[in-house]
Every structure is written in structure tokens, then in C-alpha cells.
Amino acid sequence: MTPLARHGDPIAAIATAPGRGAVGIVRVSGQGLAAFASALLGRELAARQVHYLPFPDARGEAIDRGLALWFPAPHSYTGEDVLELQAHGGPVVLQLLLSRCLEVAQGVLPRLRLAEPGEFTERAFLNDKLDLAQAEAVADLIDASTETAARSAARSLSGAFSTEVHVLRDALVHLRMLVEATLDFPEEEIDFLRKADARGQLSKLQEQVAAVLRQARQGALLREGITVVIAGQPNVGKSSLLNALAGAELAIVTPIAGTTRDMVRQTIQIEGVPLHVIDTAGLRESADEVERMGIARAWQQIRQADALLFLHDLTRRGDAGYERAEAQLAAELGQGPGRATRVIDVWNKADAAPEGVVGSGTAGVVLSARTGQGLAELRRALLQAVGWQAAPEGVFIARERHLQALQALRQHLRQALKWLDAPEPALDLLAEELRLGQQALGAITGEFTADDLLGTIFSRFCIGK
């Protein structure tokens, strides 16, 4: 993270992605940039108006002609003075403009320096233009891999998630006020908590937290996506299933066992949820060193998967060797009475299976990767396995740290209810649980956030953001 002492430095950066483009932007932010802007462009700029003009170099010759926009503080993205130069998007042109900014600054703005990753958005947060959840939504919107994820990130950026957090905070603060009043004025012998229905308020707050947590879990799925591993014996149709789900020939398909020796990855989407699908090597004993390495990697991916498609071959049902290997794999994958809910049995080659094979003992999804039969049912089963519900427009993007904060708040509220319901209510411990709950909640929007966490968050942004 940028040291606090450097937050007062003016900063500059190329704010558009590397490479060629129609338009590129150089952005400068800091306090007192008016003199610098005039020295750089040779004229004063009207606030929040677009100016078409040349961008001169040290000899007065135009580096390029483009648009200049001037945003005096505090009416800017960062809350500081901001100058934006929009030029043609060639990397050389933008580097020349950035170098010219640093050159001019030597005389009128000597502390101007290159921005660090995420520093523009970090300043927006520090200057109360965005809270921390909104600042994170900026990066999530840029990184969104589906339309649903982008819309949800936009909702978080507009403050939808923060509004939910503030509603919880206000209810929690009111409850703390009642408890603190009871602790501060015991001689009044007024049961503030009973008359104010503190227990009812606490129970209602728990319900509200549970509702926000459910929404946040959906948002986290949109942001992170779901890692799905396709596993099974050789030649059960794993690569064909990956191709069918992706709608493209991504993996080589042959009747030769061991064709897939390493992982093949593809990201698809179902109902706007990103699915990172991984086709793995067939699971079997092998003397081939390369294939053994692929199988070892397959098991590593299986252990880390959010959902596992255990693929079976209907055309080989009844074959003694195949069934023995299936039973062994089922045991290793955690099948049986204590099976993990994340494992979905998929019975492939329904189009080629003998009559009567599909029936008892085929619990799961029956499909044909070749014809597409059963793919819609498989997609629904995948979303159900990871807890996805049809996303209403109200879903907002969320991160794992948001889920952890909400879960911590829920745990503190549970403990607070225990202290309140004790035969002799321990109000001081009740008050402490409520305080800790508010602190956990405040970490979402940045009201109670360690500096090292801020550094981790903003360091993952791109330079110009």
C-alpha cells in the first residue's frame, strides 16, 4: 500500500489498457493542479467542459491533438483536482504525453509521480467519494466475465450493497444504544431492554443479516465463478462433454484411451454464472510417465473443485473390469452414504446405450454429449449443487471477505442473544458482542479496516485505476 505520507503527492498515469486503441487517456490527480494544467496546455481550462486542443511538447510542437477535461476538487472521481487528456490510443503517443506531464511538473508541481496500482480509486475511498465495497466493485466491474456479473458489480458500485450494510449498521447501533443506556443508568431501575423489545430487535436483525448473507453468497458466485471438474475413467466422454458444454471443439476426442494427458480449461456461463470447466486425464493405473503426471494433476483438481462431474459410460455397464474400476473410483471420490453433495453422477452415451441399460442404478443426470440430450438438466444440476438461485435484479457483487464479515456478525449476534436470554442477563458481555458485530460489519465498507487490508485490495487494481 502507498505509505500515508505519500497520499498528498500528485499522481499521473495512463488510464487506459496497454496496446493500441482509438482513444487513450492520461490522468493526473492531486491538490492544486490549476497552475500545472495551464503550464502543460498553455491556457486555462473551464471546469467540467470538454476542450479540443493540441498537447504541446517542450518545443511547442503538438504531440497530438485531443480532448482535455478539468475537474476541480472535490467534484472529481478522486475528490482531488483531476486533469484528463484524451488522445489517440497509440502506446508511444500516451507515453510521450505522460513523460511531458512529468517534465512540466518539475517546474510547477515537483512532487508529481507515477501512480501505483489502484491509487486513483484508493484516493476516491480515502476522500469519501466511495466506500470500500464500492471501490472493490470498480475492479469487479472491469473483471466481470458475464453480463449478469457486470450488472451486479454496477449495482454494488452504485451503492446497493453498501445501503444494505448501512441498514444493518443503523439497527445494530440502535440496539447498542439501548444496551449501553441500561448499563450507564442502572439506578433508574427502568428496564430499557424489555420496554424497547430488545430481544425482538435482535431477532429481526438476525433475519436481516441472514437475508443479506444469502444475497452476498449469490454475488460471490457471480464474481468468483464455479470450478467444475469432469472426472472418470478413460473414454467415458469427458472431452466430448467439455466440448458440448462449451459449444466448441476445445479438446481432442479419439477412441484411444489416454488421449487427454493434461488439463483442458474453458470458462462458460450458465444463467450468467461463470463456470470454469476443467477436463482431466482419465483416472486409471498407467505405466506411461506423462499420463501418470496428468492423472496426478487430475486428482489435485478434483480435491479443489466446487463441483465434480463423475462421468460414467452407459455402453460399458455390465462389463466386469469397467464396473470394478467404477467401484474403486466411487470409493475414492467419496461416494456412498456419506457422499459429498458436490459430486454429480453423469451417465453419458445415452444415444448409444443398449436398450434397458438406462434405469435402476443410474441416479444422476443421463445425457449424450454427442447429441446434446440431457445437457439442460446437467446445467440445472450444476447450479443447484453450488447453491445458485435464479438471480433477481437485486443481486449485488460480493467477495469472500464480505461473506466472512457477515458470518462473523451473525456469530456475534447469536452469542449476544445467548447473553440476553441467560437467567441473569450479562449486559456487559451483550454490549461487547454487539460492538464486535458492528466492527465486523464496518470492515465491509471500510469504517473499520486495517491498512494492510487496504494495501492488498488496491494493489490488485490496474495502474490507471
Side-chain angles (χ1 to χ4, degrees), residues 45-59:
L45 302 178
R48 293 176 296 282
Q49 292 186 17
V50 178
H51 301 80
Y52 178 67
L53 41 68
F55 303 139
D57 62 13
R59 294 173 297 179

PDB file of all heavy atoms in Angstrom, residues 45-59:
ATOM      1  N   LEU A  45      -8.344  26.121 -18.295  1.00  0.00           N
ATOM      2  CA  LEU A  45      -9.467  25.290 -18.714  1.00  0.00           C
ATOM      3  C   LEU A  45     -10.687  25.582 -17.861  1.00  0.00           C
ATOM      4  O   LEU A  45     -10.575  25.742 -16.639  1.00  0.00           O
ATOM      5  CB  LEU A  45      -9.118  23.798 -18.589  1.00  0.00           C
ATOM      6  CG  LEU A  45      -7.895  23.304 -19.370  1.00  0.00           C
ATOM      7  CD1 LEU A  45      -7.672  21.823 -19.101  1.00  0.00           C
ATOM      8  CD2 LEU A  45      -8.066  23.561 -20.862  1.00  0.00           C
ATOM      9  N   ALA A  46     -11.848  25.668 -18.490  1.00  0.00           N
ATOM     10  CA  ALA A  46     -13.101  25.815 -17.744  1.00  0.00           C
ATOM     11  C   ALA A  46     -13.452  24.481 -17.100  1.00  0.00           C
ATOM     12  O   ALA A  46     -13.206  23.408 -17.664  1.00  0.00           O
ATOM     13  CB  ALA A  46     -14.220  26.264 -18.679  1.00  0.00           C
ATOM     14  N   ALA A  47     -14.007  24.547 -15.910  1.00  0.00           N
ATOM     15  CA  ALA A  47     -14.318  23.333 -15.161  1.00  0.00           C
ATOM     16  C   ALA A  47     -15.389  22.503 -15.857  1.00  0.00           C
ATOM     17  O   ALA A  47     -16.383  23.030 -16.361  1.00  0.00           O
ATOM     18  CB  ALA A  47     -14.789  23.694 -13.753  1.00  0.00           C
ATOM     19  N   ARG A  48     -15.127  21.192 -15.923  1.00  0.00           N
ATOM     20  CA  ARG A  48     -16.095  20.206 -16.423  1.00  0.00           C
ATOM     21  C   ARG A  48     -16.610  20.536 -17.824  1.00  0.00           C
ATOM     22  O   ARG A  48     -17.779  20.309 -18.136  1.00  0.00           O
ATOM     23  CB  ARG A  48     -17.263  20.046 -15.432  1.00  0.00           C
ATOM     24  CG  ARG A  48     -16.833  19.406 -14.113  1.00  0.00           C
ATOM     25  CD  ARG A  48     -17.967  19.342 -13.124  1.00  0.00           C
ATOM     26  NE  ARG A  48     -18.433  20.657 -12.721  1.00  0.00           N
ATOM     27  CZ  ARG A  48     -17.813  21.438 -11.841  1.00  0.00           C
ATOM     28  NH1 ARG A  48     -16.680  21.029 -11.286  1.00  0.00           N
ATOM     29  NH2 ARG A  48     -18.288  22.637 -11.531  1.00  0.00           N
ATOM     30  N   GLN A  49     -15.746  21.063 -18.645  1.00  0.00           N
ATOM     31  CA  GLN A  49     -16.056  21.296 -20.051  1.00  0.00           C
ATOM     32  C   GLN A  49     -15.004  20.615 -20.919  1.00  0.00           C
ATOM     33  O   GLN A  49     -13.840  20.509 -20.530  1.00  0.00           O
ATOM     34  CB  GLN A  49     -16.095  22.800 -20.375  1.00  0.00           C
ATOM     35  CG  GLN A  49     -17.261  23.543 -19.719  1.00  0.00           C
ATOM     36  CD  GLN A  49     -17.347  24.986 -20.183  1.00  0.00           C
ATOM     37  OE1 GLN A  49     -16.766  25.363 -21.200  1.00  0.00           O
ATOM     38  NE2 GLN A  49     -18.072  25.804 -19.434  1.00  0.00           N
ATOM     39  N   VAL A  50     -15.424  20.179 -22.095  1.00  0.00           N
ATOM     40  CA  VAL A  50     -14.505  19.495 -22.997  1.00  0.00           C
ATOM     41  C   VAL A  50     -13.801  20.528 -23.875  1.00  0.00           C
ATOM     42  O   VAL A  50     -14.448  21.399 -24.471  1.00  0.00           O
ATOM     43  CB  VAL A  50     -15.264  18.492 -23.892  1.00  0.00           C
ATOM     44  CG1 VAL A  50     -14.306  17.820 -24.867  1.00  0.00           C
ATOM     45  CG2 VAL A  50     -15.963  17.448 -23.035  1.00  0.00           C
ATOM     46  N   HIS A  51     -12.468  20.444 -23.916  1.00  0.00           N
ATOM     47  CA  HIS A  51     -11.663  21.371 -24.724  1.00  0.00           C
ATOM     48  C   HIS A  51     -10.892  20.565 -25.766  1.00  0.00           C
ATOM     49  O   HIS A  51     -10.165  19.628 -25.408  1.00  0.00           O
ATOM     50  CB  HIS A  51     -10.670  22.150 -23.857  1.00  0.00           C
ATOM     51  CG  HIS A  51     -11.317  22.964 -22.773  1.00  0.00           C
ATOM     52  ND1 HIS A  51     -11.746  22.396 -21.588  1.00  0.00           N
ATOM     53  CD2 HIS A  51     -11.605  24.290 -22.712  1.00  0.00           C
ATOM     54  CE1 HIS A  51     -12.272  23.351 -20.827  1.00  0.00           C
ATOM     55  NE2 HIS A  51     -12.198  24.498 -21.486  1.00  0.00           N
ATOM     56  N   TYR A  52     -11.054  20.917 -27.027  1.00  0.00           N
ATOM     57  CA  TYR A  52     -10.281  20.283 -28.080  1.00  0.00           C
ATOM     58  C   TYR A  52      -9.093  21.173 -28.401  1.00  0.00           C
ATOM     59  O   TYR A  52      -9.250  22.337 -28.794  1.00  0.00           O
ATOM     60  CB  TYR A  52     -11.132  20.090 -29.336  1.00  0.00           C
ATOM     61  CG  TYR A  52     -10.371  19.484 -30.494  1.00  0.00           C
ATOM     62  CD1 TYR A  52      -9.900  18.164 -30.432  1.00  0.00           C
ATOM     63  CD2 TYR A  52     -10.112  20.225 -31.650  1.00  0.00           C
ATOM     64  CE1 TYR A  52      -9.208  17.614 -31.488  1.00  0.00           C
ATOM     65  CE2 TYR A  52      -9.423  19.675 -32.713  1.00  0.00           C
ATOM     66  CZ  TYR A  52      -8.967  18.364 -32.616  1.00  0.00           C
ATOM     67  OH  TYR A  52      -8.254  17.810 -33.672  1.00  0.00           O
ATOM     68  N   LEU A  53      -7.879  20.644 -28.217  1.00  0.00           N
ATOM     69  CA  LEU A  53      -6.683  21.481 -28.368  1.00  0.00           C
ATOM     70  C   LEU A  53      -5.451  20.610 -28.603  1.00  0.00           C
ATOM     71  O   LEU A  53      -5.502  19.395 -28.454  1.00  0.00           O
ATOM     72  CB  LEU A  53      -6.498  22.355 -27.117  1.00  0.00           C
ATOM     73  CG  LEU A  53      -6.758  21.728 -25.725  1.00  0.00           C
ATOM     74  CD1 LEU A  53      -5.723  20.691 -25.380  1.00  0.00           C
ATOM     75  CD2 LEU A  53      -6.783  22.819 -24.675  1.00  0.00           C
ATOM     76  N   PRO A  54      -4.327  21.246 -29.000  1.00  0.00           N
ATOM     77  CA  PRO A  54      -3.084  20.493 -29.160  1.00  0.00           C
ATOM     78  C   PRO A  54      -2.433  20.239 -27.805  1.00  0.00           C
ATOM     79  O   PRO A  54      -2.576  21.030 -26.866  1.00  0.00           O
ATOM     80  CB  PRO A  54      -2.219  21.416 -30.019  1.00  0.00           C
ATOM     81  CG  PRO A  54      -2.723  22.786 -29.722  1.00  0.00           C
ATOM     82  CD  PRO A  54      -4.192  22.648 -29.444  1.00  0.00           C
ATOM     83  N   PHE A  55      -1.727  19.127 -27.689  1.00  0.00           N
ATOM     84  CA  PHE A  55      -0.930  18.817 -26.497  1.00  0.00           C
ATOM     85  C   PHE A  55       0.534  19.061 -26.871  1.00  0.00           C
ATOM     86  O   PHE A  55       1.163  18.222 -27.534  1.00  0.00           O
ATOM     87  CB  PHE A  55      -1.118  17.363 -26.064  1.00  0.00           C
ATOM     88  CG  PHE A  55      -2.560  16.998 -25.782  1.00  0.00           C
ATOM     89  CD1 PHE A  55      -3.066  15.772 -26.194  1.00  0.00           C
ATOM     90  CD2 PHE A  55      -3.396  17.866 -25.091  1.00  0.00           C
ATOM     91  CE1 PHE A  55      -4.383  15.427 -25.927  1.00  0.00           C
ATOM     92  CE2 PHE A  55      -4.718  17.519 -24.816  1.00  0.00           C
ATOM     93  CZ  PHE A  55      -5.216  16.298 -25.239  1.00  0.00           C
ATOM     94  N   PRO A  56       1.090  20.241 -26.495  1.00  0.00           N
ATOM     95  CA  PRO A  56       2.430  20.616 -26.982  1.00  0.00           C
ATOM     96  C   PRO A  56       3.559  19.915 -26.232  1.00  0.00           C
ATOM     97  O   PRO A  56       3.430  19.578 -25.046  1.00  0.00           O
ATOM     98  CB  PRO A  56       2.469  22.128 -26.739  1.00  0.00           C
ATOM     99  CG  PRO A  56       1.539  22.342 -25.581  1.00  0.00           C
ATOM    100  CD  PRO A  56       0.463  21.315 -25.696  1.00  0.00           C
ATOM    101  N   ASP A  57       4.663  19.700 -26.951  1.00  0.00           N
ATOM    102  CA  ASP A  57       5.863  19.199 -26.287  1.00  0.00           C
ATOM    103  C   ASP A  57       6.709  20.377 -25.832  1.00  0.00           C
ATOM    104  O   ASP A  57       6.263  21.540 -25.872  1.00  0.00           O
ATOM    105  CB  ASP A  57       6.644  18.268 -27.219  1.00  0.00           C
ATOM    106  CG  ASP A  57       7.141  18.964 -28.475  1.00  0.00           C
ATOM    107  OD1 ASP A  57       7.111  20.224 -28.535  1.00  0.00           O
ATOM    108  OD2 ASP A  57       7.569  18.271 -29.423  1.00  0.00           O
ATOM    109  N   ALA A  58       7.955  20.139 -25.415  1.00  0.00           N
ATOM    110  CA  ALA A  58       8.796  21.203 -24.868  1.00  0.00           C
ATOM    111  C   ALA A  58       9.124  22.266 -25.914  1.00  0.00           C
ATOM    112  O   ALA A  58       9.378  23.427 -25.561  1.00  0.00           O
ATOM    113  CB  ALA A  58      10.085  20.595 -24.311  1.00  0.00           C
ATOM    114  N   ARG A  59       9.081  21.949 -27.201  1.00  0.00           N
ATOM    115  CA  ARG A  59       9.384  22.912 -28.263  1.00  0.00           C
ATOM    116  C   ARG A  59       8.132  23.597 -28.784  1.00  0.00           C
ATOM    117  O   ARG A  59       8.206  24.401 -29.710  1.00  0.00           O
ATOM    118  CB  ARG A  59      10.096  22.194 -29.412  1.00  0.00           C
ATOM    119  CG  ARG A  59      11.477  21.648 -29.049  1.00  0.00           C
ATOM    120  CD  ARG A  59      12.061  20.820 -30.151  1.00  0.00           C
ATOM    121  NE  ARG A  59      11.241  19.619 -30.406  1.00  0.00           N
ATOM    122  CZ  ARG A  59      11.506  18.717 -31.343  1.00  0.00           C
ATOM    123  NH1 ARG A  59      12.562  18.889 -32.120  1.00  0.00           N
ATOM    124  NH2 ARG A  59      10.728  17.668 -31.500  1.00  0.00           N
TER     125      ARG A  59
END
